[in-house]
Amino acid sequence: MKEIRIGLIGFGTVGKGLAQALFSQRERLIQRSGIAFTLTTVVDIAVDSLPDEFSNVTLTRDAKDIFNDPSIDIVVELIGGMEPAKSFLLEAINKGKHVVTANKALLSVHGREIFTAAALNNVEVGFEASVGGGIPVIKALKEGLVANKINYIKGIMNGTANYILTKMTDDGMAFNEVLKEAQELGFAEADPTYDVEGIDTAHKLAILMTIAFGLHVHLDDIHVEGISEIEPTDIEFAGTLGHRIKLLAISRNHGKHVEARVHPTMVPETHMLSTISGAFNAIQFNGDTVGDVLLYGQGAGMMPTGSAVAADVVDIGRNILQNSVNRVPALSYLPNNMAEPIITPMDELVCPYYFRVTALDKPGVLARITSIFGDHGISIKSMVQQEHDANEPVYIVFMTHSATEGNVKRAIREIDELDVCTSPTVKIRLLISE
């Protein structure tokens, strides 16, 4: 029976999940693969001892103990961040070792360098856990949908943001109040910026776009807006209008150019993504052959993410056993067929919009506002005016037909300059019906 030996860098939450999965599923993995997967070495500068079941595993503080051990076949990096994670992965690759990582931030910025080095050294890079936690989204996109032109990607890819928006919607709570609760429950980090400002979601979208379209998409290519400015008032209006607000990653393939955006989006209550609640993730693909596919599950956590890392380890082990390393290209497309992306400028985006205008309730105000919309080619689909006390500013909510982002920005600028408008206009994009 073949033994595959594994070195693990980082024994944090996900590292423990991987170790537990390999330990508890050892016999099942042997039955399914004919391979004994053995965790031999763990590198972690903050861990003094390992649990009793890992008494045969060497614990060290020096990653060179893994790189310089010729018996180790696969190096798993689970420390996150840019450095030293990047250097560790490149060192392992240059030593001829296969690597597995869950590091979406690193791959969305330096993925091209890492995948190029792996191809040159004929080793594999597993990164299933970088998107969707325990959801097998990378494998589905690389292999299950290989006979498809991907028309679009839409998804809820951050559990923290989705938990916060769910609580705001269901309980009428304000953002800061829900965030504090999420931190106390462990759903949000002490510094939640990456989660609530959409950056974590953008990391994942860049990776998915790279695989889906065969393009070298970088984090900087993604337009990113977060949820910290979402107010209960807009969530309430959304519900009245038959929508729920979600933080979505969206990319539509226009052939010569592709959209790349992360932002709060009004999703019709009839759409599948509107039903995804709490800390769960859901990612939807549309292929020209298969149609719509929705993958749903836990997007984070020790065991779900550990499961995804273990799946990469097993895949690589099977390829080693069958002498078929890189049978499936790391990014689905062969390296020489990857191309540079042309990203749709945000000003050229066309979609429906929600606007909330705050204005004094005076004769002629509505006419002035709608006239500005008309001047910029924005067609109103529906309008709601909030009941209010006399002499108080009023909320006027508009839902539009599809309009161009550049025209929308110019219209909002003019509306906000009106002497009767007392607060900046709120704009939220609507999900495009395909």
Side-chain angles (χ1 to χ4, degrees), residues 35-157:
I35 301 169
F37 292 94
T38 304
L39 179 61
T40 65
T41 310
V42 169
V43 177
D44 198 303
I45 61 174
V47 174
D48 296 323
S49 62
L50 299 176
D52 292 343
E53 60 264 37
F54 306 119
S55 58
N56 293 328
V57 178
T58 298
L59 176 63
T60 176
R61 300 171 68 88
D62 191 348
K64 291 187 181 301
D65 293 337
I66 287 179
F67 304 142
N68 295 330
D69 183 345
S71 73
I72 290 177
D73 303 290
I74 302 174
V75 176
V76 181
E77 177 274 309
L78 295 175
I79 58 175
M82 297 297 172
E83 287 291 356
K86 177 186 169 185
S87 295
F88 285 163
L89 284 175
L90 291 174
E91 177 72 11
I93 288 168
N94 290 329
K95 291 281 188 177
K97 301 183 186 297
H98 306 283
V99 297
V100 175
T101 181
N103 197 333
K104 65 259 184 184
L106 179 62
L107 293 180
S108 70
V109 175
H110 298 293
R112 187 171 187 170
E113 180 179 355
I114 291 165
F115 290 115
T116 298
L120 289 173
N121 286 277
N122 195 32
V123 298
E124 297 209 15
V125 180
F127 55 104
E128 181 65 66
S130 66
V131 181
I135 310 171
V137 60
I138 300 292
K139 193 173 186 69
L141 190 54
K142 284 171 58 175
E143 300 183 49
L145 302 179
V146 69
N148 285 264
K149 171 194 171 186
I150 301 301
N151 293 317
Y152 61 72
I153 303 166
K154 302 174 183 177
I156 296 167
M157 302 184 194

Side-chain angles (χ1 to χ4, degrees), residues 150-382:
I150 301 301
N151 293 317
Y152 61 72
I153 303 166
K154 302 174 183 177
I156 296 167
M157 302 184 194
N158 185 274
T160 299
N162 200 50
Y163 174 85
I164 290 172
L165 288 173
T166 299
K167 292 288 287 185
M168 290 178 70
T169 301
D170 293 347
D171 299 342
M173 299 168 66
F175 172 82
N176 288 332
E177 185 180 0
V178 182
L179 175 59
K180 181 180 179 181
E181 178 184 291
Q183 290 171 321
E184 291 171 350
L185 293 173
F187 289 126
E189 301 288 343
D191 181 357
T193 303
Y194 271 34
D195 293 325
V196 302
E197 297 303 340
I199 302 168
D200 175 80
T201 299
H203 291 151
K204 298 168 184 176
L205 182 60
I207 292 169
L208 292 182
M209 289 179 63
T210 297
I211 300 168
F213 307 135
L215 303 173
H216 290 295
V217 179
H218 189 281
L219 175 65
D220 291 344
D221 294 322
I222 313 290
H223 174 86
V224 186
E225 299 172 23
I227 65 169
S228 59
E229 300 300 319
I230 295 294
E231 298 183 20
T233 296
D234 298 304
I235 289 179
E236 184 178 343
F237 274 121
T240 301
L241 296 164
H243 290 68
R244 293 173 73 95
I245 298 177
K246 297 291 184 181
L247 180 67
L248 292 192
I250 300 173
S251 180
R252 297 171 71 217
N253 183 359
H254 296 278
K256 293 184 178 180
H257 57 95
V258 292
E259 295 174 15
R261 50 194 174 101
V262 172
H263 51 71
T265 307
M266 283 204 177
V267 182
E269 291 177 347
T270 55
H271 194 283
M272 293 181 292
L273 289 175
S274 76
T275 67
I276 308 304
S277 299
F280 281 82
N281 285 194
I283 301 168
Q284 180 182 8
F285 301 113
N286 178 273
D288 63 346
T289 304
V290 72
D292 282 325
V293 173
L294 182 72
L295 301 173
Y296 165 83
Q298 296 189 57
M302 180 171 77
M303 295 314 299
T305 310
S307 169
V309 177
D312 278 337
V313 170
V314 173
D315 268 357
I316 293 172
R318 285 170 168 161
N319 290 343
I320 293 171
L321 183 64
Q322 299 299 325
N323 194 29
S324 60
V325 168
N326 284 321
R327 178 185 65 86
V328 178
L331 298 174
S332 189
Y333 286 77
L334 294 170
N336 59 325
N337 291 327
M338 297 291 292
E340 298 302 318
I342 300 176
I343 304 298
T344 309
M346 280 301 292
D347 276 1
E348 295 178 12
L349 172 67
V350 178
C351 70
Y353 289 84
Y354 160 98
F355 301 114
R356 175 167 58 85
V357 179
T358 307
L360 299 176
D361 189 8
K362 293 183 176 181
V365 169
L366 184 59
R368 294 171 70 186
I369 293 169
T370 56
S371 175
I372 292 173
F373 284 139
D375 290 344
H376 291 279
I378 301 168
S379 175
I380 304 302
K381 182 178 182 180
S382 63

